[in-house]
Amino acid sequence: MKCPFCSNPDTQVKDSRPSEDGLTIRRRRFCPSCSSRFTTFERVQLRELTVLKKTGERRIFDRDKLTRAISVATRKRPVNPDDVDRLVSSIVQRLESTGESEIQSSLIGEMVMEGLKDLDEVAYIRFASVYRNFREGKDFEKFVGNLD
C-alpha cells in the first residue's frame, strides 16, 4: 500500500482487526520513510459492477458515490454514520448477490429509497425529491401523502 503522505510504495501493517459488521478489515499502517501512520479498510468484492444509467451510459459502480448520496440526504439528521455504512454495505451486498454484472441505476435508487425509509423519513423525502426530480411543492405533498 502506497503511503498517502510521501508516496512510498512500501508501508507496513501494524495492526489488523475486523470491523463490527465483519464485512471489512481495518488495517493500521506505518510508513518507514516518513514515519506517518494511516488506516486502510479492506472489503470483499465479489464482482466488478457496472451501472447502466438512464441515458444508456455505463459507469463502474462507485461505493463512495453511493455513500456520499446517502450522507447528503441524512445531513443534519440524527443518523449515526455507522448506520449509513451498514445501509451502503447492505445495498452493495444485494447488488452483488443478483448475479448480474450490469445494474440499472433505477434499481440502486429504489434500494436507497427503501433503506432510507426505514432509517429516517426526512432523509427519505430529501433523497426522493432529487431522485424523482420534484419540481414544485405539490410534488412533495403528493409524495408525503403516500407515506402512510
Side-chain angles (χ1 to χ4, degrees):
M1 174 68 58
K2 186 165 74 170
C3 175
F5 302 103
C6 71
S7 299
N8 176 24
D10 298 317
T11 58
Q12 301 169 354
V13 175
K14 291 297 181 184
D15 179 46
S16 292
R17 64 178 69 160
S19 63
E20 288 180 21
D21 61 7
L23 299 174
T24 59
I25 295 176
R26 177 184 175 270
R27 299 196 192 280
R28 290 291 299 152
R29 295 183 178 266
F30 171 77
C31 176
S33 179
C34 70
S35 300
S36 296
R37 294 180 183 271
F38 60 99
T39 302
T40 60
F41 294 90
E42 183 178 312
R43 290 185 176 85
V44 172
Q45 182 176 346
L46 297 177
R47 65 179 41 91
E48 186 78 21
L49 297 175
T50 303
V51 178
L52 184 59
K53 311 282 254 175
K54 291 176 187 172
T55 62
E57 182 183 354
R58 287 176 169 75
R59 296 252 173 113
I60 299 295
F61 176 78
D62 184 353
R63 181 188 177 96
D64 292 335
K65 183 176 179 181
L66 179 61
T67 302
R68 283 191 305 274
I70 294 172
S71 295
V72 166
T74 58
R75 185 174 295 144
K76 295 187 180 182
R77 298 293 304 151
V79 176
N80 187 325
D82 290 339
D83 291 335
V84 172
D85 286 339
R86 276 190 283 281
L87 176 57
V88 170
S89 292
S90 166
I91 291 169
V92 171
Q93 202 170 31
R94 287 172 55 197
L95 292 172
E96 288 178 336
S97 69
T98 64
E100 300 293 325
S101 59
E102 280 195 351
I103 305 293
Q104 296 284 334
S105 61
S106 58
L107 175 63
I108 298 170
E110 293 301 323
M111 286 181 173
V112 170
M113 286 191 41
E114 180 184 307
L116 284 175
K117 188 173 186 179
D118 295 335
L119 193 61
D120 184 87
E121 272 195 358
V122 172
Y124 169 66
I125 293 168
R126 284 179 180 170
F127 185 85
S129 71
V130 174
Y131 177 66
R132 299 232 170 116
N133 200 19
F134 291 1
R135 299 252 184 235
E136 53 190 49
K138 291 178 186 177
D139 297 333
F140 282 95
E141 287 177 22
K142 184 178 176 184
F143 185 78
V144 172
N146 292 332
L147 283 178
D148 299 327

